Amino acid sequence: MTPTDVTHVMTTNFYAPPSAIRAGRVVLPEDEARHLRTVLRGKQGDQMTVVDGHGGWYRARIDHVGDEQVVGTIVERRHNVGEPAIDATVALGLLKKRTRFETFVEKAVELGVRRIVPLRTSRAERASIREERLRNVMVAAMKQCRRSRLPALAAPQSTADLLAESGGDVRLVCHAGDASVPIQRAMGQAGPAASALVLVGPEGGFAPPEVEAARANGCAPVSLGPRRLRAETAGLAALHAVVDAHQNG
Ligand code: SAM
C-alpha cells in the first residue's frame, strides 16, 4: 500500500437530520456541505463522520462534493456515541445577560445534558430566549464534542410548571442553605438512576417559596460547595456532578 492509498478521515463531525440519511446514503444539508467544501476542503474519497442528533452516528465515504450538496455512502454505523448514561435535565433561571445563558448552553451540551429548561423565576430578569440562536449553539457544541444526540431546549417555563410536568428519578434543587447536602453525597445516596432533574436559580437566587415548592415536589436541596457560584457556573458544576455519578465508561 502506498501513502496515497490511505483513506483520509475528516476530523470534524457533521450534522444531518435523520431525514437526510436513507438507503445507506447521507446527504449533508447545504450549510454543512458548504463548510465541508470551502473551509475543510473535503474531497471525493475522503471519509466523514455524520451525527443525526438522535443518537445516530455514521462514517461515510464521500461520493460527490457539489456546490450545494455533499453525498456519501455509509460504511459504518453506531448508536449513542458520546452519550452519558444518565438522562439529565438542567433548569436554569433566565439570566440578565443573554451571552451568559448561551455560554451555559454550549458548555452544558459538552458536559452531556439531555434537556435544558430556561426557568422563569420570580427573581429572573428576563422572560424569553433567542431560540434559533441557542439551537445553533447547541448543534455546534454537539459536533465539537462528538456527541450524537442534540439535547432538547424547552420553552421558558415557571418553576411550578416544571415541577408539575417533569420527571426525574433524582430531583435536586441547588441551594446554599443549612438543609443542603453536598450534591455528590445526594447522588451517591440516590443510587442507580436513569434520569435526573436539577434546578438552579438566576443571579438573584430562588425566592424562598420557590425552594419550598421544589422541596415539596421531591427535590432534595443540594450544595455545590462553600463558594457562591455564578448561576451558569452552578448549572455546569451541578450537571457535571450528576453525569459523573453515572458515567458509562
Ligand atoms: N444571592 C443569591 C442567593 O443567595 O441565593 C445567589 C444566587 S447564585 C448567584 C445563583 C444560583 O446558583 C443559586 O440560586 C443556586 O441555585 C446556585 N448556586 C450558586 N452557588 C451555589 C452553592 N455553593 N451551592 C448550591 N447552589 C449554588
Side-chain angles (χ1 to χ4, degrees):
M1 185 185 278
T2 66
T4 50
D5 292 328
V6 175
T7 303
H8 176 242
V9 181
M10 303 186 74
T11 52
T12 304
N13 277 11
F14 297 91
Y15 167 64
S19 59
I21 300 165
R22 270 205 307 265
R25 305 191 91 196
V26 51
V27 180
L28 290 188
E30 200 177 321
D31 51 342
E32 295 285 288
R34 198 179 318 114
H35 187 64
L36 179 144
R37 182 174 58 84
T38 61
V39 180
L40 302 169
R41 307 279 175 203
K43 299 185 301 295
Q44 185 182 344
D46 289 349
Q47 290 195 358
M48 59 180 174
T49 305
V50 181
V51 291
D52 70 359
H54 292 258
W57 179 103
Y58 306 90
R59 181 66 50 80
R61 189 190 61 243
I62 299 174
D63 298 327
H64 169 75
V65 180
D67 284 348
E68 291 166 7
Q69 222 183 35
V70 169
V71 183
T73 298
I74 294 168
V75 295
E76 184 185 351
R77 55 181 81 212
R78 297 191 213 162
H79 195 62
N80 268 353
V81 171
E83 293 304 315
I86 193 160
D87 182 334
T89 294
V90 179
L92 174 65
L94 279 155
L95 305 177
K96 192 171 175 182
K97 279 201 173 178
R98 289 190 191 277
T99 51
R100 287 195 183 279
F101 203 90
E102 280 174 22
T103 300
F104 165 74
V105 165
E106 178 184 73
K107 307 302 175 200
V109 173
E110 291 175 38
L111 290 173
V113 77
R114 199 65 72 76
R115 186 166 77 110
I116 293 172
V117 182
L119 265 191
R120 287 192 177 123
T121 69
S122 60
R123 293 182 186 161
E125 299 195 44
R126 198 175 273 288
S128 67
I129 54 170
R130 291 200 183 119
E131 193 182 330
E132 194 181 338
R133 160 111 195 121
L134 289 180
R135 192 174 177 283
N136 289 340
V137 167
M138 293 170 86
V139 170
M142 172 188 66
K143 293 192 298 180
Q144 188 277 330
C145 73
R146 303 184 179 190
R147 289 184 67 174
S148 52
R149 282 187 182 275
L150 182 64
L153 176 66
Q157 56 191 263
S158 68
T159 314
D161 286 347
L162 173 79
L163 291 167
E165 289 163 17
S166 291
D169 298 339
V170 180
R171 286 160 75 100
L172 309 171
V173 56
C174 295
H175 179 62
D178 291 342
S180 298
V181 299
I183 189 167
Q184 292 81 1
R185 194 193 305 164
M187 289 306 294
Q189 286 169 351
S195 61
L197 172 68
V198 185
L199 275 62
V200 181
E203 290 96 337
F206 286 119
E210 289 168 332
V211 178
E212 275 321 302
R215 293 181 67 166
N217 281 275
C219 296
V222 290
S223 160
L224 300 169
R227 289 168 291 281
R228 187 178 70 183
L229 307 177
R230 277 190 184 275
E232 69 275 20
T233 314
L236 296 172
L239 172 62
H240 176 65
V242 165
V243 170
D244 193 51
H246 290 76
Q247 282 294 358
N248 55 358

